[in-house]
Amino acid sequence: MEIHLNRVDYMQVGVTSQKTMRLLPALGKKATQKVAIADHDGILTCFGMKKGEAVPVFKTLPGQKIARMDLGGAAGTPQEKIFVCSGSQVRGFTKKGKQFLTFDANLTESINAMHVSGADLFVCASYIYNHYCDCKDQDYYLSGDKINDITCLSSENLTRLIPVLACQDRVLRVLQGSELAYDIEVPGPPSVLEQFNKDGGNNVSTGEEILYGTSDGKIGLVQIGEDSAATKWELDNGKKKGGILCIDTYDIIGDGVNDILVGRDDGTVEVYGFDSASEPTLRFEHVLSESVTSIQGGCVGKESYDEVLTATYTGWVTGLTTEPQKAEVGPGDEVRMSKETQSKVEALRAELEQLQVKVLQGREQYQQTSQSSTAVSAVPVFSINDKFTLCQDDASYSLTLEVQTAIDNLLLQSDVPIDLLDVDKNSAVVSFSECDSEPNGNFLLATYRCQANTTRLELKVRSIEGQYGTLQAYITPRLQPKTCQVRQYQIKPLSLHQRTHSIDQDRPMNRLSLVGQFSFAEIHSWVVFCLPEVPEKTPAGESITFYFHNTFLGTQLEATYCKGEGHFRSDNISTISILSDVLSKEATKRKINLNISYDINDDSVSHTLKMIHPKLEYQLLLARKVQLIDALKELQVHEGNADFLIPEYRNILDDSTNLLEEYKKQPAHLERLYGMITDLFIDKFKFKGQNVKTKVSSLLEILDNYDLNSLLNFFSEV
Amino acid sequence: MLVPIFTLKLNHKINPRMVTVGKFDGVHPCLTAATQAGKVFIHNPHARGQRPVAHRLSQSTQDSDISLLNINQAVTCLTAGTLGPNTTGDTLLVGSQTNLLAYDVHDNADIFYREVTDGANAIVLGKLGDIPTPLAIIGGNCALQGFDYEGNDHFWTVTGDNVRSLVLCDFTGDGKNELLVGSEDFDIRVFKEDELVSEMTENETVTSLCHMHGSRFGYALANGTVGVYDRTARYWRIKSKNHAMSIHAFDLNADGVVELITGWSNGKIDARSDRTGEVIFKDNFSSSVAGVVEGDYRLDGQQQLICTSIEGEVRGYLPASKDLKGNLMDSSAEQDLIRELSQRRQNLLLELRNYEENAKGVSETNSGVGVIPANTQLQTALSVRPATEAQKAHVELSISTPNETIIRAVLIFAEGIFEGESHVVHPSAQNLSGCIRVPIVPPKDIPVDLHIKAFVGGKTSTQFHVFEITRQLPRFSMYDITVDSSAAPPPGRVTFSINDRPQRVVMWLNQNFLLPEGVDSPDVTFNSLRGGGLLSISMASNGQITLRTDDIDLAGDLVQSLASFLAIDDLSAEADFPGYFEELRTTLTEVDEFHSVHQKLTAAMADHSNYIRNMLVQAEDARLMGDMTTMKKRYRELYDLNRDLVNEYKIRSNNHNALLACLKSVNQAIQRAGRLRVGKPKNQVISACRDAIKSNNVNALFRVMRAGTASS
């Protein structure tokens, strides 16, 4: 079933955070709903649509940045009280805009996730979860990693409220009071939670199912029980769309079953319907130009037309409505505009003119201050929404930057050798500048000159394990007076590793042990320095174990450490080598004497080579096939058909488009594999105290005529 | 939303930029394109199966609408159109690196087949200037040649570098066509027959040109720039990270004015307004676009825009109907308008907030914001730095702040002097200071605007003020004035007379050279930082100017620059560049040698192919007779012969490449000799040189180059 939704822009507020727009419940049947939206200027705006124009109901005064919004109300009544959190404070407003609650949560950190259910208030700062009932402290929990979102289940089947936390370390933590009941592993870092079965527009859950979205773009449904959970389904992110920022359920298709509405950080809005087998299928997709921070289904623009309402990062409230767009072509050459739009445009123009005058005055004053010798110029910080994440599929980092106005240019600087990859979506003109690694330590200097109206940039960066440093991005928006802001991103020594929940214990493992006079916090900070996705806060307890896997090769790493002692086990000898180099360097910096011991398992090398083997073989075959395509095509043209070719070649011809696509997707894959095998070779003998750099050329020769056995022999012979 | 009215999958690859539409029988338009393996395919869906198969033409077995034309050489350009006076239909012209073929598809016969030593990189068909018959004009290595329907060359001239694109249009508005030539030295030159009328300098190889209307034309560069010129003034240009494969003028929105249609390397097609460059329509192919042409492909009297991709996908678009109101995109105009206005409002609000917050003042402690004194002004200075042991000779741009603020980084956007479009200086955290020196080495003598962006703030700031300054680098910036007159002046010189005051020449010197404190006499000596030795300029009281340098290119640039500064239309000069002329003499002898080797090799190859034929017959005979030993022996011999042939081919191709390089340098020499003069004397020199080369009179050639005329 196809649906068509038309885009309507309603209004624009300031920059918004995730989940800060909600629809208030409708008063009667079929009436339009009011929209409440809160932004970074601290303004909570509530508006309704009248004759195509946004009419504000109320607007609060500016204040601290609002991070979340939720609706609540006494159980059994419409959930129309608006709760917003800013800093460590939670405020409540009635639907008329009267503030009835100010509650200070007394947290040292600011609240970044909140859920309201009846008289219960759940708030989360980075690692802390707090439950208040009637503003009285009830429960407290300290999570092992950052909390991204919270929701709470209540239903007849459950004896109590069940809070669920979405934590950065790829688990959903289900709590019971102040204790962890159990946790659920999910395929990526969860960024948003939503109850699957909601009672109409109200906020009260009636089921035990929870939808989650991850920051790498996956969606799943889990059924939560009191002491266990079951995964219902998971949707992969095959098309490499952006991470999920918001989810809602609403029957937009009109088949009586709630559909799933999804907003992503690359601007994609999706509607998933359910087929007869209750499997979610994509029914509708629309791409807005910026991150979708909030999404909800409802009725705003016109009575009896359902729509998907979205809010974007720069504060646009946009509806995708089922209302058909009128074909407004009348006589005469001008495209005729409806009266409403005309008045809207006029009002806007008038406002613009006024603003222009004010801005001119401002400019003049600013110019005048430049004459004075005592005045200073300080331009307020503009907000940047950035994300630097490892993509599992191609083992590269993706950097997305979003600014509330158009970006003029971007300067990328790195003090480690990294490769910048081309991204199709990115239309900016890139130019690489000559680098002088001495004396300024630059390995990459690139400028991106953006096309007009680019507010969002996506880049891809490929790093090499073992080489670490900082990537800096200087972002200059098209805003007077011109300023630029720098953002820093760490390229960690084991940059291609990702956290997992468990590892295969049967593989041959190498071990690196450290003993010395260091505290738990110190060794934790070293691990944070070496590996991505480790929480910065020192974990509670005496000791901790983290598991990682290498996204490129599939090798694994186990890190267990406590005060004065650390053990790292990996089947990849290069990983151990990098860790030992970096850790000893870090320890020397702090003048701590480390006792390092190794336990090298010679089988691990051949094991790793065998793991690489299928990838390498596949890539070599692919490269060979791709090489043949053009020649075969030419033969085909020359001979008129391909019947004379042997079946193998005919297959290549038939499959050529797929092969080429595959080849394009993985640029330099083979070179990277070669590099890693070379590292493995050098590292293996490094631990034996031999320097084999001179033999690398013969290794490369063997790789050029690749055969697993000869490679294994070469590794064992030398 | 405009959608294609037809889509075809031809299953033949199409070489980029080698697509045309021709009515070979006078009625039915056929899409014609070069494909792999030295073939040209002709797609004729209108006259199915009526085609005789003979000579070059063969029916494709895959698709009955397609006939293939065997060229047996890599095709480099093709076009179709009316060439002869009494032909039924269009003539197809196919150029390769060595030949030009004019072919009558309808009669299936060659019209002419000419060897062109300079190759044919680009081709255009049409009338040029006062020449009565239409010409097929090809552009090769530095040379332009025009052939009529009999294959006689009526037009020949040289240009600065390898030609990449050609178009005919009425540039001067005199009712006659001029030839526009885009070449690899980044120039667009306009020829009124063989006279050079105008020259526009771009910053990359000019890959495509197309006539829009009147004197307006579109161009595309190898770095992803497309734009529109009206005469010598650029209307607009845009740059993309993709490359423009093909440009074409077509009125897609039916408003009576053509739009510039661009096909991009990422498969995008867009139509841009000729006045503003605003996109009015876009569509996407799955692979790179190969060519954009137009024709009445449905035979309904309407021209369609036909876009082709390199994978052989073809899409045709009709001009938009009236009720689309020029709105070809899939969005509603009013929504866009409101959105744009709101966006502007938001920008103004943000700017206003900036001023308000600034007026409030920020505490000094918050250093992350990057507070700087309001009276901070950047100082920039350009100076010439001769080579030292540590650094090559360069022009130094120094940027400094007057107070304790630091410069975090400097971005310089400029065209044509850096590898990319920008250069970045980003000192490491330890080396931060309030002064940055940027060495610049312009590779060519061109005036460049340096758009400088400097990030100024405190040492620990995360936000910086961006200072934007534009400085102009004068044309001849890589020359350092010297006072030391003891060194002997270089033997190369060019002498000419002007009727102007010396003060004007001094003015020109001050504007075009980087002089620390200016000069007040027109007699100066410079040291070329590119290692070209000395350059001395002197002016006698009778207005005679002598330029002494060994670099003939530099002399040409100086003459052209001075002539345009003083608005001189015609300028003849005497020149002598002993070193360069000696080199040229050697090159000319080499050309002769290469020619004779070439002939020898061709003869040897013919011999060998005869042998092969014999050998093959003998071997097959032996096979049929069952005499396996003889057969084996023959085939072994054949194999050896084949190897010899391959080796010979290698020699031949090396020889050919060397010959091409020599010919190019000869053509360049003529061009350079021309550039020492301006206007009519320039054209005289070029045509006299051409005559000398044709008659193989080397001495006359040098006489012309020296004196500017053939006589005496």
Side-chain angles (χ1 to χ4, degrees):
Chain A
M1 190 170 29
E2 283 281 310
I3 50 166
H4 288 285
L5 300 177
N6 296 312
R7 175 176 166 175
V8 192
D9 293 331
Y10 291 125
M11 71 179 291
Q12 192 178 18
V13 295
V15 174
T16 64
S17 290
Q18 195 189 353
K19 287 174 92 172
T20 48
M21 181 212 62
R22 293 295 292 267
L23 293 180
L24 299 180
L27 289 174
K29 276 275 161 210
K30 295 285 175 194
T32 57
Q33 291 171 272
K34 304 260 187 299
V35 183
I37 181 163
D39 59 25
H40 281 194
D41 302 333
I43 302 172
L44 167 65
T45 315
C46 180
F47 70 93
M49 295 305 292
K50 257 187 202 140
K51 289 181 191 158
E53 229 171 312
V55 181
V57 178
F58 69 86
K59 208 172 176 181
T60 65
L61 291 171
Q64 229 183 331
K65 159 185 164 182
I66 296 177
R68 276 296 152 92
M69 171 194 288
D70 203 5
L71 297 182
T77 61
Q79 305 286 304
E80 53 184 22
K81 300 224 160 36
I82 306 162
F83 294 86
V84 293
C85 60
S86 44
S88 64
Q89 199 179 53
V90 177
R91 286 177 293 164
F93 293 89
T94 63
K95 61 176 180 171
K96 302 278 179 214
K98 192 170 152 268
Q99 187 171 344
F100 65 88
L101 173 79
T102 314
F103 170 64
D104 218 309
N106 274 334
L107 300 173
T108 45
E109 292 165 272
S110 41
I111 300 170
N112 56 17
M114 174 178 70
H115 183 82
V116 182
S117 170
D120 295 291
L121 170 69
F122 304 85
V123 296
C124 299
S126 323
Y127 296 95
I128 307 155
Y129 153 83
N130 249 318
H131 172 198
Y132 304 93
C133 188
D134 284 324
C135 297
K136 280 188 201 74
D137 216 334
Q138 295 286 319
D139 294 315
Y140 168 85
Y141 177 74
L142 187 64
S143 160
D145 206 333
K146 274 202 184 109
I147 303 168
N148 291 330
D149 201 10
I150 180 174
T151 192
C152 194
L153 287 174
S154 63
S155 89
E156 296 101 51
N157 299 343
L158 301 171
T159 52
R160 57 185 171 84
L161 281 172
I162 302 182
V164 184
L165 309 179
C167 301
Q168 184 64 25
D169 53 353
R170 295 154 197 267
V171 290
L172 307 181
R173 292 198 160 85
V174 182
L175 303 182
Q176 179 169 20
S178 294
E179 297 299 320
L180 175 71
Y182 58 92
D183 51 24
I184 310 155
E185 292 169 7
V186 291
S191 49
V192 56
L193 294 175
E194 198 60 56
Q195 293 145 4
F196 183 50
N197 293 309
K198 282 189 294 188
D199 163 26
N202 287 349
N203 205 9
V204 185
S205 70
T206 55
E208 299 94 56
E209 287 165 325
I210 278 188
L211 280 166
Y212 64 83
T214 68
S215 57
D216 52 3
K218 293 165 185 146
I219 310 167
L221 181 72
V222 282
Q223 173 148 29
I224 307 278
E226 283 192 30
D227 34 40
S228 70
T231 305
K232 286 291 184 75
W233 47 258
E234 272 173 27
L235 282 179
D236 223 20
N237 185 18
K239 284 189 181 154
K240 290 193 191 161
K241 291 178 198 159
I244 315 279
L245 283 181
C246 46
I247 301 182
D248 189 35
T249 56
Y250 188 79
D251 181 17
I252 187 87
I253 297 172
D255 56 359
V257 183
N258 268 356
D259 310 307
I260 301 174
L261 318 176
V262 179
R264 295 181 187 257
D265 64 8
D266 62 348
T268 316
V269 177
E270 293 168 317
V271 176
Y272 288 92
F274 288 92
D275 55 15
S276 48
S278 287
E279 288 288 320
T281 44
L282 185 64
R283 289 286 169 74
F284 173 79
E285 192 179 337
H286 184 89
V287 182
L288 302 170
S289 56
E290 49 208 43
S291 311
V292 181
T293 50
S294 318
I295 195 165
Q296 196 173 356
C299 173
V300 175
K302 200 158 191 190
E303 274 175 37
S304 73
Y305 288 109
D306 281 346
E307 66 187 281
V308 178
L309 197 73
T310 61
T312 62
Y313 172 69
T314 61
W316 271 104
V317 182
T318 304
L320 294 164
T321 173
T322 48
E323 183 188 353
Q325 241 164 20
K326 288 160 273 170
E328 283 176 274
V329 179
D333 270 332
E334 285 281 296
V335 178
R336 290 216 307 185
M337 274 187 265
S338 63
K339 278 215 180 95
E340 296 104 66
T341 7
Q342 247 165 8
S343 62
K344 218 173 175 180
V345 167
E346 265 158 34
L348 264 174
R349 280 193 204 277
E351 200 185 338
L352 271 177
E353 253 162 49
Q354 281 181 358
L355 274 173
Q356 205 97 48
V357 175
K358 271 193 196 167
V359 166
L360 277 178
Q361 283 171 354
R363 254 182 228 172
E364 251 163 49
Q365 264 170 20
Y366 184 71
Q367 288 296 334
Q368 271 164 13
T369 59
S370 73
Q371 306 297 327
S372 117
S373 56
T374 51
V376 292
S377 164
V379 176
V381 178
F382 57 91
S383 83
I384 298 176
N385 184 15
D386 57 345
K387 199 171 121 185
F388 187 64
T389 46
L390 178 64
C391 302
Q392 220 167 330
D393 311 335
D394 53 0
S396 67
Y397 276 88
S398 98
L399 172 62
T400 53
L401 297 163
E402 196 170 11
V403 183
Q404 62 190 121
T405 68
I407 303 174
D408 184 59
N409 65 66
L410 169 74
L411 164 65
L412 275 189
Q413 181 267 345
S414 163
D415 58 2
V416 270
I418 50 172
D419 290 329
L420 211 53
L421 307 181
D422 192 35
V423 179
D424 281 342
K425 269 186 255 173
N426 180 348
S427 65
V429 179
V430 61
S431 156
F432 292 90
S433 174
E434 213 175 287
C435 292
D436 43 341
S437 50
E438 289 297 324
N440 292 329
N442 296 321
F443 280 95
L444 171 83
L445 284 173
T447 54
Y448 280 82
R449 196 165 49 81
C450 300
Q451 313 281 353
N453 299 330
T454 310
T455 57
R456 194 171 181 282
L457 261 185
E458 208 175 313
L459 314 166
K460 261 194 173 216
V461 166
R462 209 161 49 198
S463 60
I464 302 161
E465 284 211 330
Q467 302 196 308
Y468 54 99
T470 320
L471 173 69
Q472 298 194 92
Y474 293 83
I475 305 127
T476 314
R478 277 180 206 200
L479 193 63
Q480 291 298 332
K482 275 231 169 133
T483 52
C484 86
Q485 210 179 102
V486 58
R487 287 283 160 126
Q488 298 189 324
Y489 307 96
Q490 298 305 324
I491 310 271
K492 302 204 170 182
L494 294 172
S495 50
L496 300 182
H497 279 71
Q498 200 171 44
R499 279 276 293 277
T500 59
H501 303 298
S502 60
I503 57 168
D504 176 9
Q505 293 289 357
D506 297 337
R507 295 187 186 174
M509 299 287 245
N510 306 294
R511 198 163 51 87
L512 164 74
S513 300
L514 308 171
V515 183
Q517 292 290 320
F518 48 79
S519 67
F520 190 34
E522 267 168 328
I523 186 159
H524 181 73
S525 73
W526 298 340
V527 173
V528 170
F529 182 77
C530 289
L531 285 147
E533 300 189 12
V534 182
E536 258 165 49
K537 194 177 67 75
T538 311
E542 292 285 289
S543 76
I544 187 83
T545 302
F546 289 116
Y547 300 111
F548 302 90
H549 85 278
N550 183 320
T551 48
F552 192 71
L553 292 179
T555 58
Q556 54 196 25
L557 170 68
E558 182 195 275
T560 310
Y561 50 91
C562 58
K563 179 174 179 291
E565 210 173 318
H567 300 283
F568 299 89
R569 293 169 68 230
S570 169
D571 51 346
N572 188 342
I573 207 163
S574 297
T575 310
I576 292 290
S577 159
I578 292 168
L579 265 177
S580 92
D581 285 355
V582 178
L583 289 176
S584 53
K585 210 182 263 175
E586 281 298 297
T588 325
K589 249 192 232 165
R590 302 193 194 191
K591 303 206 169 66
I592 293 172
N593 203 0
L594 273 192
N595 199 347
I596 300 178
S597 61
Y598 307 100
D599 180 4
I600 301 301
N601 187 339
D602 273 341
D603 294 341
S604 74
V605 177
S606 49
H607 159 80
T608 311
L609 284 177
K610 276 177 195 151
M611 280 198 42
I612 298 174
H613 171 69
K615 293 180 209 274
L616 192 59
E617 202 176 36
Y618 175 76
Q619 289 297 328
L620 283 169
L621 199 66
L622 186 67
R624 201 171 310 145
K625 280 181 178 171
V626 167
Q627 221 174 6
L628 281 174
I629 288 177
D630 266 347
L632 288 173
K633 283 217 166 146
E634 195 164 330
L635 274 177
Q636 188 186 15
V637 172
H638 205 82
E639 296 294 324
N641 59 41
D643 299 343
F644 65 97
L645 290 173
I646 58 170
E648 188 196 334
Y649 288 163
R650 251 184 293 171
N651 283 343
I652 294 178
L653 266 182
D654 295 341
D655 212 22
S656 59
T657 39
N658 289 340
L659 289 173
L660 282 173
E661 216 160 85
E662 185 91 1
Y663 193 67
K664 238 177 40 196
K665 244 193 252 168
Q666 310 169 317
H669 204 98
L670 212 52
E671 283 75 11
R672 284 177 97 185
L673 281 172
Y674 281 5
M676 292 201 180
I677 293 173
T678 317
D679 285 349
L680 203 62
F681 180 69
I682 294 171
D683 290 334
K684 173 179 172 170
F685 291 97
K686 196 175 93 180
F687 283 109
K688 292 190 171 162
Q690 282 170 276
N691 189 339
V692 287
K693 285 204 173 130
T694 47
K695 286 177 182 147
V696 167
S697 55
S698 31
L699 172 69
L700 287 177
E701 235 164 74
I702 288 184
L703 285 174
D704 278 340
N705 308 301
Y706 176 71
D707 171 55
L708 179 60
N709 286 327
S710 59
L711 187 65
L712 287 174
N713 286 338
F714 183 78
F715 265 76
S716 53
E717 266 169 26
V718 178
Chain B
M1 174 85 181
L2 193 69
V3 287
I5 47 160
F6 65 82
T7 310
L8 301 169
K9 287 240 191 305
L10 296 181
N11 280 324
H12 284 274
K13 288 211 170 191
I14 298 177
N15 293 0
R17 302 197 179 95
M18 297 174 213
V19 184
T20 186
V21 167
K23 290 180 185 173
F24 299 117
D25 56 0
V27 184
H28 301 111
C30 303
L31 189 71
T32 309
T35 181
Q36 298 162 306
K39 285 182 165 58
V40 169
F41 74 77
I42 298 165
H43 178 249
N44 186 0
H46 309 295
R48 219 157 271 185
Q50 298 163 14
R51 208 135 274 271
V53 179
H55 193 51
R56 289 179 187 272
L57 214 56
S58 67
Q59 210 73 37
S60 167
T61 40
Q62 288 168 321
D63 190 335
S64 60
D65 290 343
I66 287 180
S67 351
L68 286 165
L69 201 59
N70 233 331
I71 305 296
N72 288 331
Q73 264 177 330
V75 178
T76 52
C77 58
L78 61 77
T79 191
T82 320
L83 183 64
N86 302 315
T87 47
T88 34
D90 289 349
T91 307
L92 177 65
L93 289 141
V94 183
S96 70
Q97 237 3 285
T98 51
N99 293 93
L100 174 69
L101 167 73
Y103 182 72
D104 189 324
V105 179
H106 187 247
D107 296 338
N108 200 0
D110 290 6
I111 298 173
F112 65 82
Y113 185 69
R114 284 290 304 258
E115 193 172 328
V116 284
T117 44
D118 292 320
N121 298 335
I123 189 164
V124 72
L125 185 62
K127 282 198 173 177
L128 173 65
D130 288 322
I131 301 169
T133 55
L135 293 181
I137 301 165
I138 55 165
N141 301 329
C142 303
L144 294 162
Q145 240 178 321
F147 296 96
D148 69 359
Y149 65 100
E150 285 168 323
N152 301 323
D153 79 351
H154 279 277
F155 170 72
W156 185 94
T157 188
V158 287
T159 173
D161 206 331
N162 293 346
V163 177
R164 290 292 295 274
S165 48
L166 291 171
V167 76
L168 285 165
C169 85
D170 184 8
F171 182 81
T172 49
D174 58 356
K176 282 173 257 176
N177 276 340
E178 280 78 39
L179 179 66
L180 270 60
V181 182
S183 56
E184 282 177 10
D185 60 353
F186 313 168
D187 274 355
I188 302 172
R189 295 188 176 82
V190 184
F191 288 91
K192 189 180 174 70
E193 294 193 35
D194 48 10
E195 177 193 348
L196 181 67
V197 201
S198 281
E199 212 169 339
M200 283 81 81
T201 304
E202 273 300 329
N203 46 52
E204 248 298 343
T205 300
V206 184
T207 52
S208 307
L209 289 167
C210 84
H211 179 218
M212 306 280 291
H213 57 88
S215 56
R216 203 171 283 192
F217 63 94
Y219 73 99
L221 305 182
N223 63 2
T225 307
V226 294
V228 165
Y229 268 97
D230 193 359
R231 302 254 166 91
T232 53
R234 191 163 49 209
Y235 249 65
W236 57 264
R237 61 171 168 172
I238 57 110
K239 191 176 172 188
S240 160
K241 67 170 186 168
N242 302 303
H243 302 290
M245 301 303 285
S246 175
I247 54 174
H248 188 78
F250 189 78
D251 183 12
L252 198 61
N253 59 359
D255 62 351
V257 184
V258 289
E259 284 84 46
L260 183 70
I261 319 285
T262 315
W264 297 91
S265 57
N266 63 343
K268 199 167 92 180
I269 290 273
D270 59 29
R272 290 170 184 274
S273 148
D274 72 321
R275 279 147 302 191
T276 57
E278 185 196 352
V279 178
I280 61 153
F281 171 71
K282 57 184 170 197
D283 199 1
N284 273 301
F285 280 90
S286 57
S287 58
S288 168
V289 174
V292 182
V293 289
E294 65 177 85
D296 178 13
Y297 224 60
R298 296 198 305 179
L299 292 171
D300 57 1
Q302 275 179 299
Q303 289 284 317
Q304 290 114 41
L305 180 73
I306 301 168
C307 305
T308 58
S309 81
I310 55 165
E311 294 299 331
E313 192 181 344
V314 179
R315 286 185 204 162
Y317 302 89
L318 263 187
S321 58
K322 276 273 178 279
D323 47 295
L324 276 174
K325 297 278 173 285
N327 179 22
L328 314 181
M329 307 264 264
D330 187 18
S331 64
S332 106
E334 51 192 80
Q335 284 284 345
D336 284 352
L337 181 66
I338 289 176
R339 210 178 160 75
E340 193 204 310
L341 288 175
S342 306
Q343 192 63 53
R344 266 181 30 208
R345 188 187 65 157
Q346 198 71 9
N347 278 353
L348 287 174
L349 280 173
L350 281 170
E351 190 177 338
L352 206 59
R353 193 183 66 127
N354 279 352
Y355 295 131
E356 277 164 8
E357 295 282 319
N358 183 47
K360 270 188 218 161
V362 191
S363 60
E364 293 281 347
T365 47
N366 191 2
S367 59
V369 183
V371 182
I372 61 166
N375 59 355
T376 307
Q377 267 180 342
L378 274 199
Q379 277 128 25
T380 59
L382 283 167
S383 53
V384 183
R385 301 276 149 172
T388 60
E389 271 177 30
Q391 239 179 340
K392 282 190 300 182
H394 59 267
V395 176
E396 185 182 273
L397 170 69
S398 88
I399 306 165
S400 56
T401 63
N403 44 35
E404 72 284 358
T405 52
I406 56 108
I407 302 177
R408 186 69 199 85
V410 174
L411 273 68
I412 304 171
F413 286 87
E415 291 171 324
I417 58 167
F418 305 124
E419 259 172 64
E421 59 172 21
S422 69
H423 181 73
V424 183
V425 180
H426 184 277
S428 62
Q430 304 91 281
N431 299 338
L432 285 177
S433 70
C435 177
I436 281 185
R437 291 173 209 283
V438 190
I440 298 172
V441 185
K444 283 169 77 177
D445 287 333
I446 41 166
V448 183
D449 280 333
L450 302 171
H451 301 280
I452 304 159
K453 290 178 204 287
F455 299 168
V456 177
K459 274 206 162 92
T460 52
S461 305
T462 54
Q463 186 157 316
F464 301 90
H465 283 71
V466 179
F467 283 76
E468 292 179 312
I469 305 162
T470 302
R471 280 295 302 255
Q472 203 190 45
L473 199 61
R475 179 183 286 267
F476 303 101
S477 51
M478 284 292 273
Y479 301 91
D480 189 18
I481 192 159
T482 55
V483 278
D484 173 27
S485 53
S486 59
R493 59 167 184 86
V494 53
T495 316
F496 51 89
S497 298
I498 55 164
N499 298 321
D500 231 317
R501 287 171 295 129
Q503 282 80 351
R504 297 264 292 158
V505 179
V506 170
M507 231 154 94
W508 169 77
L509 278 171
N510 283 329
Q511 278 188 16
N512 285 281
F513 285 83
L514 211 52
L515 302 167
E517 56 258 331
V519 288
D520 37 24
S521 115
D523 298 319
V524 279
T525 308
F526 293 97
N527 206 347
S528 167
L529 297 186
R530 293 201 191 87
L534 288 179
L535 159 71
S536 83
I537 301 170
S538 58
M539 185 171 181
S541 52
N542 60 354
Q544 192 183 56
I545 295 184
T546 310
L547 303 174
R548 287 181 179 276
T549 171
D550 279 337
D551 187 347
I552 188 170
D553 276 326
L554 171 62
D557 283 345
L558 288 168
V559 170
Q560 298 296 326
S561 162
L562 185 60
S564 73
F565 182 80
L566 300 175
I568 299 171
D569 290 335
D570 294 314
L571 181 72
S572 61
E574 277 180 38
D576 191 16
F577 291 91
Y580 182 72
F581 287 170
E582 204 41 55
E583 252 173 62
L584 184 60
R585 202 180 284 273
T586 345
T587 312
L588 286 168
T589 6
E590 274 173 23
V591 168
D592 283 343
E593 278 166 21
F594 285 133
H595 265 303
S596 63
V597 172
H598 176 77
Q599 266 154 13
K600 265 185 225 155
L601 286 174
T602 314
M605 200 175 64
D607 269 3
H608 273 122
S609 44
N610 273 336
Y611 269 136
I612 285 177
R613 244 172 252 143
N614 289 339
M615 212 75 88
L616 195 67
V617 171
Q618 284 177 16
E620 281 302 287
D621 279 352
R623 188 175 64 86
L624 291 175
M625 307 276 283
D627 184 356
M628 286 305 154
T629 28
T630 323
M631 185 195 84
K632 269 188 190 163
K633 202 174 138 204
R634 292 279 174 264
Y635 270 118
R636 212 172 297 129
E637 279 169 2
L638 201 59
Y639 176 72
D640 290 343
L641 207 55
N642 184 50
R643 212 174 38 207
D644 287 354
L645 261 179
V646 170
N647 284 336
E648 231 168 67
Y649 168 76
K650 276 181 193 145
I651 297 168
R652 217 171 107 92
S653 82
N654 283 340
N655 182 61
H656 182 76
N657 286 336
L659 177 66
L660 278 188
C662 286
L663 285 176
K664 185 177 164 183
S665 69
V666 172
N667 284 337
Q668 260 168 351
I670 299 177
Q671 166 78 8
R672 281 169 178 158
R675 276 181 70 82
L676 297 175
R677 286 93 185 170
V678 180
K680 279 215 185 73
K682 177 178 182 176
N683 299 325
Q684 280 164 8
V685 167
I686 291 180
S687 54
C689 284
R690 161 79 168 155
D691 290 340
I693 294 235
K694 256 189 180 167
S695 56
N696 211 5
N697 187 345
V698 178
N699 290 328
L701 177 70
F702 288 116
R703 205 160 49 235
V704 171
M705 286 183 168
R706 282 201 186 97
T709 44
S711 55
S712 80

